[in-house]
Amino acid sequence: MRTPFLLVTRSCKAIHRLQQSAFVSPVSALYRHQTNSVLRNSSTVSCKDDRSYYITTPIFYVNASPHLGHLYSAVIADCLHRYKLLQGFNSKFATGTDEHGLKIQQAAAAAGKDPLTFCTDVSERFKHLFNSCNISYTDYIRTTEQRHHQAVKHFWSVLWNKGLIYKGSYEGWYSTQDESFLTALQVGDAVDSSGNEIKVSLESGHKVEWMKEENYMFRLSAFHAQLLDWLKGNPQAIQPEIFYQVVLKWLQDDLPDLSVSRQRSRLQWGIPVPGDAEQTIYVWLDALVNYLTVAGYPDIHNQWWNVAHHIVGKDILKFHAVYWPAFLLGAGLPLPQTIYVHSHWTVGGKKMSKSLGNVVDPLERSKQFTTDGMRYFLLRQGVPDSDSDYTDDKAFKLLNAELADSLGGLLNRCTAPALNPAQVYTAFCPQSFPSEQGGRAVGEDYHMLEAVKNLPAVVEQHYESMHVYKALEAISACVRQTNGFVQRHAPWKLERSDITDQRWLDTIIHVSLECLRMYGTLLQPVVPEISDKLLSRLGVQPDERGLADVNFLPKIRGMDCPFEGRVLGSDTGVLFTRLENLDRDKQNPKKTKKAKK
Ligand code: ME8
């Protein structure tokens, strides 16, 4: 007997049932997290709302314009946020800009602008990029805002009152570019572009300078054991696994106390240390607190702070997986539920840099590929565990193959007036396609239905672990299978005057439209505009697009399909217009393919 198709209605019960399918449910994951000792021992009273979710991106430095990597972090976070909304969660999504520190102070001076004007200009550029790319943040934070100053000062005072900050003197290496203190082991020799011998950070390659000054130190060393306990008790806290292992390895070494202020005489552009106007709070302590500021800290913040998830690039892992949890433990606050870490985009195999002239402007590319095209490419090709290399050619090929030809082609076939003259969601005939074999459908067709039926659970598992590319791979494989199904049965060859042929033709289209409805629903977090176009063409109303509405192919289980017989949406426009790679096509004119009808 074939396994019965998952029945999903729009009720909460049904959402739970969907989550209880083969894969880990986000709700149970939340429960597991809450019981860990770190959270139990924290002083904040937990009043966690299981239907709340809070996701953040790093806040980006405003010393330079946004590039592809920044958009990538934002697109991942946006995808997870939209996915949670589809699951029925109340989701908060924060992004923004990191505006204090020596690096920004120097960049503003070099631009001949006062720091705040300079920060506002660049922050607006980030905001413009994110708005243009449909990044649906619910809060855009700037560290120069009053609410943030208050949060940072309060946070500092809590640590101070607990005796976790003391006045000391720091002597060692400092990288302004990374705004980071380094030990001798983290520094190596190099030669700069003028041939001078310099010291650089081994991790980032950025120049470091020797620094000696009086400042405040945080008792990081006191949290060594607790950090290890937290990680050992929560192997899912840092994902993917490869980065969890990196952090565990760091924690095998000593954890020296951390300098958390700079002399005001050197750094004016920052938040003054409460009670000491001669010192400025270290920019990383300032910046990390942004996540709390958005959650409402120091006022009521539990609803969001108990369900916080951070997306970060691998370059800032130590700040998020060592310093930040230690600060939070010190302040008696719960730790983030997950730190999702992604690797980097390179261009031509090299790190993007102004001097190499290989920085990819995401705004310009998203005009070329469309916003959804850009989002799809980043999420389909970006692999969190290892670096991904960007080329325009890859983007053209991928988008043409998967969005224009495969998905767009499938929609065209099922809605073409030649096959679907009435322009309706055609009827399903159970005799032609019975739940068990025996009609006109063949074994491969049942395999396809099985794959599509299982898709929500597969996609959930991959979205939940930030492996969006695997979710897209699975959807793309199903789209190919559905195209294969149509191709195999060649509905255009059927004899319309024959009633059984006509019923079979309608059934082929009905099944394909059901598959498309599934793909459109699951793709909403990745390509919101294309999904909207697709679902609108199928006649699926905005309130029928949640994950709980999917209820795939109910007719095969003898149940009603609310879509059957509906008139299709009137927008017959192309789902995704084939892209012409002008540069490549100029070089290989014979290889240029005409857009498929
Ligand atoms: O570090 N590929 O800001 P930042 C992928 N303000 N992602 C990349 C990337 C690349 N090549 N380059 C950058 C900061 N990113 C601090 C953060 S958070 C409290 C403070 C992304 O402007 C990635 O997410 O240098 C990386 O971690 C972040 O941008 C660094 O941005």
Side-chain angles (χ1 to χ4, degrees), residues 58-61 67 69-70 72-73 98 103 284 287-288 290-291 311-316 320 342-346 352:
I59 47 168
F60 303 107
Y61 285 131
H67 62 60
H70 300 129
Y72 181 52
S73 306
D98 187 354
K103 179 155 92 165
W284 266 103
L288 287 161
N290 94 85
Y291 303 131
I311 304 277
V312 299
K314 64 178 185 180
D315 51 319
I316 55 176
H320 284 82
H342 65 74
S343 297
H344 280 177
W345 282 92
T346 55
M352 269 183 275

PDB file of all heavy atoms in Angstrom, residues 58-61 67 69-70 72-73 98 103 284 287-288 290-291 311-316 320 342-346 352, ligand 1:
ATOM      1  N   PRO A  58      24.915  40.259  10.280  1.00  0.00           N
ATOM      2  CA  PRO A  58      25.883  41.162  10.909  1.00  0.00           C
ATOM      3  C   PRO A  58      25.439  42.594  10.581  1.00  0.00           C
ATOM      4  O   PRO A  58      24.732  42.811   9.599  1.00  0.00           O
ATOM      5  CB  PRO A  58      27.201  40.844  10.187  1.00  0.00           C
ATOM      6  CG  PRO A  58      26.991  39.546   9.488  1.00  0.00           C
ATOM      7  CD  PRO A  58      25.534  39.436   9.217  1.00  0.00           C
ATOM      8  N   ILE A  59      25.856  43.543  11.396  1.00  0.00           N
ATOM      9  CA  ILE A  59      25.653  44.928  10.971  1.00  0.00           C
ATOM     10  C   ILE A  59      26.932  45.324  10.242  1.00  0.00           C
ATOM     11  O   ILE A  59      28.039  45.011  10.690  1.00  0.00           O
ATOM     12  CB  ILE A  59      25.299  45.861  12.142  1.00  0.00           C
ATOM     13  CG1 ILE A  59      26.239  45.652  13.321  1.00  0.00           C
ATOM     14  CG2 ILE A  59      23.848  45.654  12.561  1.00  0.00           C
ATOM     15  CD1 ILE A  59      26.104  46.743  14.378  1.00  0.00           C
ATOM     16  N   PHE A  60      26.776  45.970   9.109  1.00  0.00           N
ATOM     17  CA  PHE A  60      27.912  46.129   8.193  1.00  0.00           C
ATOM     18  C   PHE A  60      28.640  47.462   8.409  1.00  0.00           C
ATOM     19  O   PHE A  60      28.013  48.487   8.679  1.00  0.00           O
ATOM     20  CB  PHE A  60      27.403  46.004   6.749  1.00  0.00           C
ATOM     21  CG  PHE A  60      26.696  44.684   6.523  1.00  0.00           C
ATOM     22  CD1 PHE A  60      25.310  44.635   6.393  1.00  0.00           C
ATOM     23  CD2 PHE A  60      27.401  43.495   6.509  1.00  0.00           C
ATOM     24  CE1 PHE A  60      24.651  43.418   6.227  1.00  0.00           C
ATOM     25  CE2 PHE A  60      26.755  42.269   6.349  1.00  0.00           C
ATOM     26  CZ  PHE A  60      25.379  42.238   6.205  1.00  0.00           C
ATOM     27  N   TYR A  61      29.949  47.418   8.263  1.00  0.00           N
ATOM     28  CA  TYR A  61      30.754  48.638   8.399  1.00  0.00           C
ATOM     29  C   TYR A  61      30.422  49.594   7.266  1.00  0.00           C
ATOM     30  O   TYR A  61      30.261  49.166   6.107  1.00  0.00           O
ATOM     31  CB  TYR A  61      32.252  48.298   8.309  1.00  0.00           C
ATOM     32  CG  TYR A  61      32.823  47.652   9.548  1.00  0.00           C
ATOM     33  CD1 TYR A  61      33.594  46.495   9.448  1.00  0.00           C
ATOM     34  CD2 TYR A  61      32.626  48.203  10.805  1.00  0.00           C
ATOM     35  CE1 TYR A  61      34.151  45.901  10.571  1.00  0.00           C
ATOM     36  CE2 TYR A  61      33.175  47.611  11.943  1.00  0.00           C
ATOM     37  CZ  TYR A  61      33.930  46.462  11.810  1.00  0.00           C
ATOM     38  OH  TYR A  61      34.469  45.885  12.927  1.00  0.00           O
ATOM     39  N   HIS A  67      28.933  45.184  -0.995  1.00  0.00           N
ATOM     40  CA  HIS A  67      29.289  44.313  -2.120  1.00  0.00           C
ATOM     41  C   HIS A  67      28.494  43.007  -2.049  1.00  0.00           C
ATOM     42  O   HIS A  67      27.639  42.823  -1.167  1.00  0.00           O
ATOM     43  CB  HIS A  67      30.798  44.086  -2.221  1.00  0.00           C
ATOM     44  CG  HIS A  67      31.413  43.405  -1.036  1.00  0.00           C
ATOM     45  ND1 HIS A  67      31.036  42.154  -0.620  1.00  0.00           N
ATOM     46  CD2 HIS A  67      32.395  43.806  -0.184  1.00  0.00           C
ATOM     47  CE1 HIS A  67      31.754  41.799   0.420  1.00  0.00           C
ATOM     48  NE2 HIS A  67      32.589  42.795   0.719  1.00  0.00           N
ATOM     49  N   GLY A  69      29.072  40.043  -1.037  1.00  0.00           N
ATOM     50  CA  GLY A  69      29.102  39.271   0.210  1.00  0.00           C
ATOM     51  C   GLY A  69      28.084  39.787   1.215  1.00  0.00           C
ATOM     52  O   GLY A  69      27.426  39.008   1.908  1.00  0.00           O
ATOM     53  N   HIS A  70      27.949  41.102   1.299  1.00  0.00           N
ATOM     54  CA  HIS A  70      26.975  41.677   2.240  1.00  0.00           C
ATOM     55  C   HIS A  70      25.563  41.278   1.831  1.00  0.00           C
ATOM     56  O   HIS A  70      24.733  40.905   2.662  1.00  0.00           O
ATOM     57  CB  HIS A  70      27.093  43.210   2.261  1.00  0.00           C
ATOM     58  CG  HIS A  70      28.447  43.693   2.679  1.00  0.00           C
ATOM     59  ND1 HIS A  70      29.173  44.599   1.962  1.00  0.00           N
ATOM     60  CD2 HIS A  70      29.213  43.373   3.752  1.00  0.00           C
ATOM     61  CE1 HIS A  70      30.326  44.839   2.569  1.00  0.00           C
ATOM     62  NE2 HIS A  70      30.376  44.087   3.656  1.00  0.00           N
ATOM     63  N   TYR A  72      24.725  38.702   0.204  1.00  0.00           N
ATOM     64  CA  TYR A  72      24.565  37.260   0.447  1.00  0.00           C
ATOM     65  C   TYR A  72      24.073  36.988   1.874  1.00  0.00           C
ATOM     66  O   TYR A  72      23.092  36.265   2.075  1.00  0.00           O
ATOM     67  CB  TYR A  72      25.906  36.570   0.203  1.00  0.00           C
ATOM     68  CG  TYR A  72      25.909  35.070   0.399  1.00  0.00           C
ATOM     69  CD1 TYR A  72      24.967  34.265  -0.236  1.00  0.00           C
ATOM     70  CD2 TYR A  72      26.871  34.455   1.193  1.00  0.00           C
ATOM     71  CE1 TYR A  72      24.983  32.888  -0.060  1.00  0.00           C
ATOM     72  CE2 TYR A  72      26.901  33.080   1.363  1.00  0.00           C
ATOM     73  CZ  TYR A  72      25.952  32.299   0.734  1.00  0.00           C
ATOM     74  OH  TYR A  72      25.968  30.940   0.906  1.00  0.00           O
ATOM     75  N   SER A  73      24.731  37.601   2.865  1.00  0.00           N
ATOM     76  CA  SER A  73      24.289  37.410   4.261  1.00  0.00           C
ATOM     77  C   SER A  73      22.836  37.856   4.415  1.00  0.00           C
ATOM     78  O   SER A  73      22.038  37.183   5.083  1.00  0.00           O
ATOM     79  CB  SER A  73      25.136  38.238   5.232  1.00  0.00           C
ATOM     80  OG  SER A  73      26.488  37.972   5.066  1.00  0.00           O
ATOM     81  N   ASP A  98      27.104  49.230  11.166  1.00  0.00           N
ATOM     82  CA  ASP A  98      28.032  49.343  12.289  1.00  0.00           C
ATOM     83  C   ASP A  98      28.829  50.618  12.022  1.00  0.00           C
ATOM     84  O   ASP A  98      29.622  50.672  11.079  1.00  0.00           O
ATOM     85  CB  ASP A  98      28.937  48.089  12.245  1.00  0.00           C
ATOM     86  CG  ASP A  98      29.850  47.971  13.440  1.00  0.00           C
ATOM     87  OD1 ASP A  98      29.884  48.897  14.264  1.00  0.00           O
ATOM     88  OD2 ASP A  98      30.533  46.934  13.543  1.00  0.00           O
ATOM     89  N   LYS A 103      38.210  52.717  12.209  1.00  0.00           N
ATOM     90  CA  LYS A 103      38.153  52.541  10.757  1.00  0.00           C
ATOM     91  C   LYS A 103      37.181  53.551  10.131  1.00  0.00           C
ATOM     92  O   LYS A 103      37.475  54.161   9.105  1.00  0.00           O
ATOM     93  CB  LYS A 103      37.688  51.094  10.509  1.00  0.00           C
ATOM     94  CG  LYS A 103      37.539  50.711   9.107  1.00  0.00           C
ATOM     95  CD  LYS A 103      37.698  49.237   8.959  1.00  0.00           C
ATOM     96  CE  LYS A 103      36.426  48.460   9.037  1.00  0.00           C
ATOM     97  NZ  LYS A 103      36.604  47.100   8.529  1.00  0.00           N
ATOM     98  N   TRP A 284      33.619  46.443  18.933  1.00  0.00           N
ATOM     99  CA  TRP A 284      32.956  45.140  18.814  1.00  0.00           C
ATOM    100  C   TRP A 284      31.951  44.896  19.939  1.00  0.00           C
ATOM    101  O   TRP A 284      30.901  44.301  19.721  1.00  0.00           O
ATOM    102  CB  TRP A 284      33.978  43.994  18.739  1.00  0.00           C
ATOM    103  CG  TRP A 284      34.286  43.645  17.305  1.00  0.00           C
ATOM    104  CD1 TRP A 284      35.398  43.987  16.602  1.00  0.00           C
ATOM    105  CD2 TRP A 284      33.445  42.913  16.410  1.00  0.00           C
ATOM    106  NE1 TRP A 284      35.302  43.506  15.306  1.00  0.00           N
ATOM    107  CE2 TRP A 284      34.117  42.841  15.165  1.00  0.00           C
ATOM    108  CE3 TRP A 284      32.197  42.316  16.515  1.00  0.00           C
ATOM    109  CZ2 TRP A 284      33.588  42.203  14.044  1.00  0.00           C
ATOM    110  CZ3 TRP A 284      31.660  41.660  15.399  1.00  0.00           C
ATOM    111  CH2 TRP A 284      32.352  41.615  14.196  1.00  0.00           C
ATOM    112  N   ALA A 287      29.091  46.968  18.881  1.00  0.00           N
ATOM    113  CA  ALA A 287      28.373  46.417  17.722  1.00  0.00           C
ATOM    114  C   ALA A 287      27.536  45.187  18.084  1.00  0.00           C
ATOM    115  O   ALA A 287      26.388  45.043  17.652  1.00  0.00           O
ATOM    116  CB  ALA A 287      29.367  46.052  16.624  1.00  0.00           C
ATOM    117  N   LEU A 288      28.111  44.292  18.887  1.00  0.00           N
ATOM    118  CA  LEU A 288      27.389  43.041  19.198  1.00  0.00           C
ATOM    119  C   LEU A 288      26.085  43.313  19.954  1.00  0.00           C
ATOM    120  O   LEU A 288      25.088  42.604  19.764  1.00  0.00           O
ATOM    121  CB  LEU A 288      28.303  42.104  20.001  1.00  0.00           C
ATOM    122  CG  LEU A 288      29.426  41.464  19.176  1.00  0.00           C
ATOM    123  CD1 LEU A 288      30.540  40.940  20.085  1.00  0.00           C
ATOM    124  CD2 LEU A 288      28.884  40.339  18.294  1.00  0.00           C
ATOM    125  N   ASN A 290      24.011  45.382  19.373  1.00  0.00           N
ATOM    126  CA  ASN A 290      22.911  45.776  18.470  1.00  0.00           C
ATOM    127  C   ASN A 290      21.799  44.727  18.454  1.00  0.00           C
ATOM    128  O   ASN A 290      20.622  45.050  18.313  1.00  0.00           O
ATOM    129  CB  ASN A 290      23.434  46.026  17.056  1.00  0.00           C
ATOM    130  CG  ASN A 290      23.342  44.806  16.155  1.00  0.00           C
ATOM    131  OD1 ASN A 290      22.310  44.527  15.540  1.00  0.00           O
ATOM    132  ND2 ASN A 290      24.420  44.025  16.102  1.00  0.00           N
ATOM    133  N   TYR A 291      22.198  43.449  18.600  1.00  0.00           N
ATOM    134  CA  TYR A 291      21.191  42.383  18.538  1.00  0.00           C
ATOM    135  C   TYR A 291      20.214  42.498  19.707  1.00  0.00           C
ATOM    136  O   TYR A 291      19.033  42.179  19.571  1.00  0.00           O
ATOM    137  CB  TYR A 291      21.879  41.013  18.575  1.00  0.00           C
ATOM    138  CG  TYR A 291      22.898  40.798  17.473  1.00  0.00           C
ATOM    139  CD1 TYR A 291      24.183  40.310  17.753  1.00  0.00           C
ATOM    140  CD2 TYR A 291      22.581  41.050  16.139  1.00  0.00           C
ATOM    141  CE1 TYR A 291      25.114  40.087  16.746  1.00  0.00           C
ATOM    142  CE2 TYR A 291      23.520  40.841  15.128  1.00  0.00           C
ATOM    143  CZ  TYR A 291      24.778  40.359  15.439  1.00  0.00           C
ATOM    144  OH  TYR A 291      25.692  40.143  14.438  1.00  0.00           O
ATOM    145  N   ILE A 311      23.097  35.159  11.667  1.00  0.00           N
ATOM    146  CA  ILE A 311      23.806  34.759  10.449  1.00  0.00           C
ATOM    147  C   ILE A 311      25.097  35.563  10.430  1.00  0.00           C
ATOM    148  O   ILE A 311      25.050  36.794  10.546  1.00  0.00           O
ATOM    149  CB  ILE A 311      23.001  35.166   9.179  1.00  0.00           C
ATOM    150  CG1 ILE A 311      21.600  34.591   9.187  1.00  0.00           C
ATOM    151  CG2 ILE A 311      23.769  34.837   7.906  1.00  0.00           C
ATOM    152  CD1 ILE A 311      21.470  33.200   8.708  1.00  0.00           C
ATOM    153  N   VAL A 312      26.226  34.890  10.286  1.00  0.00           N
ATOM    154  CA  VAL A 312      27.500  35.617  10.209  1.00  0.00           C
ATOM    155  C   VAL A 312      28.416  34.986   9.172  1.00  0.00           C
ATOM    156  O   VAL A 312      28.304  33.794   8.870  1.00  0.00           O
ATOM    157  CB  VAL A 312      28.249  35.615  11.576  1.00  0.00           C
ATOM    158  CG1 VAL A 312      27.423  36.290  12.656  1.00  0.00           C
ATOM    159  CG2 VAL A 312      28.641  34.213  12.009  1.00  0.00           C
ATOM    160  N   GLY A 313      29.341  35.785   8.655  1.00  0.00           N
ATOM    161  CA  GLY A 313      30.362  35.242   7.774  1.00  0.00           C
ATOM    162  C   GLY A 313      31.458  34.608   8.622  1.00  0.00           C
ATOM    163  O   GLY A 313      31.602  34.928   9.810  1.00  0.00           O
ATOM    164  N   LYS A 314      32.244  33.742   8.018  1.00  0.00           N
ATOM    165  CA  LYS A 314      33.273  33.009   8.776  1.00  0.00           C
ATOM    166  C   LYS A 314      34.334  33.951   9.356  1.00  0.00           C
ATOM    167  O   LYS A 314      34.994  33.613  10.327  1.00  0.00           O
ATOM    168  CB  LYS A 314      33.925  31.946   7.887  1.00  0.00           C
ATOM    169  CG  LYS A 314      34.691  32.520   6.712  1.00  0.00           C
ATOM    170  CD  LYS A 314      35.360  31.426   5.889  1.00  0.00           C
ATOM    171  CE  LYS A 314      36.216  32.047   4.795  1.00  0.00           C
ATOM    172  NZ  LYS A 314      36.896  31.062   3.962  1.00  0.00           N
ATOM    173  N   ASP A 315      34.477  35.136   8.757  1.00  0.00           N
ATOM    174  CA  ASP A 315      35.492  36.086   9.209  1.00  0.00           C
ATOM    175  C   ASP A 315      35.207  36.635  10.608  1.00  0.00           C
ATOM    176  O   ASP A 315      36.118  37.113  11.274  1.00  0.00           O
ATOM    177  CB  ASP A 315      35.599  37.267   8.220  1.00  0.00           C
ATOM    178  CG  ASP A 315      34.238  37.897   7.922  1.00  0.00           C
ATOM    179  OD1 ASP A 315      33.256  37.147   7.768  1.00  0.00           O
ATOM    180  OD2 ASP A 315      34.147  39.134   7.849  1.00  0.00           O
ATOM    181  N   ILE A 316      33.947  36.589  11.046  1.00  0.00           N
ATOM    182  CA  ILE A 316      33.633  37.189  12.347  1.00  0.00           C
ATOM    183  C   ILE A 316      33.101  36.132  13.321  1.00  0.00           C
ATOM    184  O   ILE A 316      32.348  36.438  14.237  1.00  0.00           O
ATOM    185  CB  ILE A 316      32.656  38.380  12.182  1.00  0.00           C
ATOM    186  CG1 ILE A 316      31.382  37.975  11.426  1.00  0.00           C
ATOM    187  CG2 ILE A 316      33.343  39.522  11.460  1.00  0.00           C
ATOM    188  CD1 ILE A 316      30.352  39.108  11.343  1.00  0.00           C
ATOM    189  N   HIS A 320      31.485  36.281  17.428  1.00  0.00           N
ATOM    190  CA  HIS A 320      30.121  35.822  17.723  1.00  0.00           C
ATOM    191  C   HIS A 320      30.067  34.542  18.546  1.00  0.00           C
ATOM    192  O   HIS A 320      29.108  34.318  19.274  1.00  0.00           O
ATOM    193  CB  HIS A 320      29.343  35.615  16.408  1.00  0.00           C
ATOM    194  CG  HIS A 320      28.908  36.912  15.803  1.00  0.00           C
ATOM    195  ND1 HIS A 320      29.740  37.679  15.037  1.00  0.00           N
ATOM    196  CD2 HIS A 320      27.734  37.593  15.895  1.00  0.00           C
ATOM    197  CE1 HIS A 320      29.092  38.773  14.662  1.00  0.00           C
ATOM    198  NE2 HIS A 320      27.877  38.750  15.164  1.00  0.00           N
ATOM    199  N   HIS A 342      28.468  31.308   7.370  1.00  0.00           N
ATOM    200  CA  HIS A 342      28.661  30.995   5.945  1.00  0.00           C
ATOM    201  C   HIS A 342      30.062  31.382   5.503  1.00  0.00           C
ATOM    202  O   HIS A 342      30.703  32.261   6.080  1.00  0.00           O
ATOM    203  CB  HIS A 342      27.597  31.656   5.073  1.00  0.00           C
ATOM    204  CG  HIS A 342      27.633  33.156   5.060  1.00  0.00           C
ATOM    205  ND1 HIS A 342      28.591  33.871   4.385  1.00  0.00           N
ATOM    206  CD2 HIS A 342      26.823  34.075   5.641  1.00  0.00           C
ATOM    207  CE1 HIS A 342      28.360  35.160   4.540  1.00  0.00           C
ATOM    208  NE2 HIS A 342      27.297  35.320   5.314  1.00  0.00           N
ATOM    209  N   SER A 343      30.507  30.721   4.455  1.00  0.00           N
ATOM    210  CA  SER A 343      31.838  31.009   3.907  1.00  0.00           C
ATOM    211  C   SER A 343      31.734  32.207   2.975  1.00  0.00           C
ATOM    212  O   SER A 343      30.701  32.865   2.913  1.00  0.00           O
ATOM    213  CB  SER A 343      32.370  29.771   3.190  1.00  0.00           C
ATOM    214  OG  SER A 343      32.504  28.742   4.141  1.00  0.00           O
ATOM    215  N   HIS A 344      32.782  32.442   2.218  1.00  0.00           N
ATOM    216  CA  HIS A 344      32.843  33.679   1.429  1.00  0.00           C
ATOM    217  C   HIS A 344      32.666  33.470  -0.060  1.00  0.00           C
ATOM    218  O   HIS A 344      32.890  32.378  -0.575  1.00  0.00           O
ATOM    219  CB  HIS A 344      34.198  34.346   1.669  1.00  0.00           C
ATOM    220  CG  HIS A 344      34.230  35.117   2.963  1.00  0.00           C
ATOM    221  ND1 HIS A 344      35.340  35.754   3.422  1.00  0.00           N
ATOM    222  CD2 HIS A 344      33.258  35.362   3.886  1.00  0.00           C
ATOM    223  CE1 HIS A 344      35.063  36.363   4.574  1.00  0.00           C
ATOM    224  NE2 HIS A 344      33.812  36.124   4.872  1.00  0.00           N
ATOM    225  N   TRP A 345      32.290  34.544  -0.715  1.00  0.00           N
ATOM    226  CA  TRP A 345      32.316  34.588  -2.173  1.00  0.00           C
ATOM    227  C   TRP A 345      33.677  35.115  -2.591  1.00  0.00           C
ATOM    228  O   TRP A 345      34.156  36.126  -2.041  1.00  0.00           O
ATOM    229  CB  TRP A 345      31.232  35.536  -2.710  1.00  0.00           C
ATOM    230  CG  TRP A 345      29.890  34.887  -2.674  1.00  0.00           C
ATOM    231  CD1 TRP A 345      28.981  34.953  -1.667  1.00  0.00           C
ATOM    232  CD2 TRP A 345      29.330  34.040  -3.684  1.00  0.00           C
ATOM    233  NE1 TRP A 345      27.886  34.192  -1.976  1.00  0.00           N
ATOM    234  CE2 TRP A 345      28.067  33.634  -3.205  1.00  0.00           C
ATOM    235  CE3 TRP A 345      29.753  33.587  -4.932  1.00  0.00           C
ATOM    236  CZ2 TRP A 345      27.235  32.790  -3.940  1.00  0.00           C
ATOM    237  CZ3 TRP A 345      28.931  32.755  -5.658  1.00  0.00           C
ATOM    238  CH2 TRP A 345      27.701  32.357  -5.168  1.00  0.00           C
ATOM    239  N   THR A 346      34.291  34.413  -3.522  1.00  0.00           N
ATOM    240  CA  THR A 346      35.520  34.930  -4.127  1.00  0.00           C
ATOM    241  C   THR A 346      35.179  35.277  -5.574  1.00  0.00           C
ATOM    242  O   THR A 346      34.129  34.880  -6.093  1.00  0.00           O
ATOM    243  CB  THR A 346      36.632  33.861  -4.115  1.00  0.00           C
ATOM    244  OG1 THR A 346      36.116  32.685  -4.767  1.00  0.00           O
ATOM    245  CG2 THR A 346      37.041  33.500  -2.694  1.00  0.00           C
ATOM    246  N   MET A 352      37.537  39.333  -2.817  1.00  0.00           N
ATOM    247  CA  MET A 352      37.166  40.598  -3.466  1.00  0.00           C
ATOM    248  C   MET A 352      37.942  41.739  -2.809  1.00  0.00           C
ATOM    249  O   MET A 352      37.979  41.832  -1.589  1.00  0.00           O
ATOM    250  CB  MET A 352      35.679  40.872  -3.255  1.00  0.00           C
ATOM    251  CG  MET A 352      34.799  40.317  -4.327  1.00  0.00           C
ATOM    252  SD  MET A 352      33.086  40.759  -4.029  1.00  0.00           S
ATOM    253  CE  MET A 352      32.587  39.478  -2.912  1.00  0.00           C
TER     254      MET A 352
HETATM  255  O1  ME8 B   1      32.602  42.623  10.192  1.00  0.00           O
HETATM  256  N1  ME8 B   1      31.467  36.656   1.037  1.00  0.00           N
HETATM  257  O2  ME8 B   1      31.279  44.170   9.125  1.00  0.00           O
HETATM  258  P1  ME8 B   1      31.689  43.968   7.584  1.00  0.00           P
HETATM  259  C1  ME8 B   1      30.406  36.465   1.831  1.00  0.00           C
HETATM  260  N2  ME8 B   1      30.730  45.326  11.355  1.00  0.00           N
HETATM  261  N3  ME8 B   1      30.056  37.290   2.830  1.00  0.00           N
HETATM  262  C2  ME8 B   1      30.829  38.352   3.050  1.00  0.00           C
HETATM  263  C3  ME8 B   1      31.964  38.617   2.264  1.00  0.00           C
HETATM  264  C4  ME8 B   1      32.283  37.710   1.209  1.00  0.00           C
HETATM  265  N4  ME8 B   1      33.305  37.865   0.401  1.00  0.00           N
HETATM  266  N5  ME8 B   1      32.519  39.742   2.719  1.00  0.00           N
HETATM  267  C5  ME8 B   1      31.748  40.167   3.757  1.00  0.00           C
HETATM  268  C6  ME8 B   1      31.795  43.539  10.194  1.00  0.00           C
HETATM  269  N6  ME8 B   1      30.724  39.344   3.949  1.00  0.00           N
HETATM  270  C7  ME8 B   1      31.236  44.030  11.508  1.00  0.00           C
HETATM  271  C8  ME8 B   1      30.165  43.065  11.951  1.00  0.00           C
HETATM  272  S1  ME8 B   1      28.259  42.313  13.665  1.00  0.00           S
HETATM  273  C9  ME8 B   1      27.884  42.671  15.225  1.00  0.00           C
HETATM  274  C10 ME8 B   1      29.541  43.423  13.276  1.00  0.00           C
HETATM  275  C11 ME8 B   1      29.650  39.459   4.948  1.00  0.00           C
HETATM  276  O3  ME8 B   1      31.106  45.106   6.854  1.00  0.00           O
HETATM  277  C12 ME8 B   1      29.770  38.385   6.008  1.00  0.00           C
HETATM  278  O4  ME8 B   1      28.548  38.233   6.665  1.00  0.00           O
HETATM  279  O5  ME8 B   1      33.141  43.711   7.460  1.00  0.00           O
HETATM  280  C13 ME8 B   1      30.762  39.002   6.937  1.00  0.00           C
HETATM  281  O6  ME8 B   1      30.773  38.400   8.215  1.00  0.00           O
HETATM  282  C14 ME8 B   1      30.252  40.422   6.993  1.00  0.00           C
HETATM  283  O7  ME8 B   1      29.814  40.680   5.649  1.00  0.00           O
HETATM  284  C15 ME8 B   1      31.328  41.404   7.422  1.00  0.00           C
HETATM  285  O8  ME8 B   1      30.868  42.677   7.169  1.00  0.00           O
END
